[in-house]
Amino acid sequence: MSDDEKARAATIFDVARLAGVSHQTVSRVLNDLPNVRPATRARVEQAIKQLRYVPSPAARALVTRRTRTLGLIVTGAPDYGPSSTALHFNEAARDARYSVITASMLETDAASLRSTAELLVRQNVEAIVLIAAQRAALDALDGIELGVPVVAVASEDRGSMHRVWLDQYAGARLAVGHLIELGHREIRHVSGPTNAMDGAERVRGWAAELGEHGLPAREPLVGDWSPGSGYVHGRTLAEDREMTAVFVSNDQMALGVIHALAEAGRSVPGDVSVVGFDDIPEAEFFAPPLTTVRQDFVELGRDAMAGVLAVLGDDDRMPAPRVPDLIVRASTAPLGDAAPSAPSSASSKSGSRAAVSS
């Protein structure tokens, strides 16, 4: 590659890696902002010179004054988890005296997502929070030179962005471990869409917990998060007489599964125990009330804001992962026991913090 090609290929992230600093620090040097140590500034300037880096217009859009404005991009369908996270992020931002410009995107094609992020930069946001349901959203912004930090709310670690997340893998293991403790050995799974990061992590946790106990992990039935897809798969599961328990990847699909099982004459939890995921407000009013994994979307939204404040302060010490809680209700019972289990709650690592990593 020629020197000219290297110069065109270099990004703010390349400079940051070479200088051993964050890309926010590079932005501060480029914009001649204060609070950069002389030795750090010298390293960054040397890296810029070595790479022959020329900032793009988007990077130059990083203004030298504080706007106290943040960008929020929410991708995918307006499901309970992302919507709740966005709401509580907005509340946390308001508490910190920031305003938020929000963009919601049903489709997450790379061009539209990049265009949206660049539009937010042109509106002088200090940082962008991306609530990503699918991997494509992370991949679209990874390595793009925006000139402002991006904090992703995402359950998989992809690319170089900072990340806030709830531990879907650990939550799934809690759910399956509960069923195993009740004596169940044939535990099926209704998963989320294959391109959904949360769904993939829950599949991974389900399989790992079964494997640790020497139990078989049959092929998951892939749903689309809706009660209708849960109902379709519930009809299939109703014909499986070896199966005694189902871990369902969200509460809406669990509702469909329970309805299909009841329609086929299989009682919950007398014949089949069912565990969901999310603990939506309606879960305790299902018939029977649903055992599920509770995600704290209030704290996730707050942690996203804490991550933003950390990176704006050039601090890479981020909060640690938050593990969901298992909420036991009447949809699970010991194998062969028609009486529902007593309501309770449990967690393995409750009170831990949500993680942001870069």
Side-chain angles (χ1 to χ4, degrees), residues 193-213:
T194 55
N195 61 356
M197 293 182 287
D198 287 356
E201 285 297 289
R202 293 168 198 171
V203 169
R204 197 168 68 87
W206 163 75
E209 189 68 18
L210 290 176
E212 187 169 294
H213 291 83

Side-chain angles (χ1 to χ4, degrees), residues 80-106:
Y80 175 68
S83 298
S84 298
T85 303
L87 171 64
H88 294 294
F89 168 74
N90 272 276
E91 289 186 342
R94 186 167 56 250
D95 289 344
R97 307 178 83 175
Y98 279 79
S99 60
V100 179
I101 302 172
T102 302
S104 298
M105 303 181 64
L106 188 59

Side-chain angles (χ1 to χ4, degrees), residues 210-223:
L210 290 176
E212 187 169 294
H213 291 83
L215 300 176
R218 314 295 184 193
E219 188 69 22
L221 300 173
V222 180

Side-chain angles (χ1 to χ4, degrees), residues 11-12 15 23-33 36 41 44-45 48 53-56 59-60 62 64 145 147:
T11 70
I12 196 170
V15 174
H23 65 278
Q24 292 83 17
T25 298
V26 177
S27 290
R28 286 191 178 87
V29 173
L30 290 170
N31 289 282
D32 199 26
L33 294 174
V36 179
R41 186 180 296 274
V44 172
E45 290 172 345
I48 291 170
Y53 168 68
V54 178
S56 71
R60 283 299 189 191
L62 183 64
T64 57
E145 185 184 340

Side-chain angles (χ1 to χ4, degrees), residues 154-174:
S155 54
E156 290 184 1
D157 186 11
R158 298 175 69 86
S160 58
M161 282 181 280
H162 296 278
R163 183 172 66 109
V164 178
W165 53 290
L166 292 170
D167 197 335
Q168 311 294 322
Y169 172 82
R173 295 198 67 157
L174 280 175

Side-chain angles (χ1 to χ4, degrees), residues 257-291:
V257 168
I258 290 171
H259 181 65
L261 290 171
E263 195 173 77
R266 302 196 70 180
S267 71
V268 175
D271 298 319
V272 181
S273 286
V274 177
V275 180
F277 209 105
D278 285 339
D279 195 28
I280 62 174
E282 300 84 0
E284 64 179 310
F285 301 104
F286 284 15
L290 183 66
T291 295

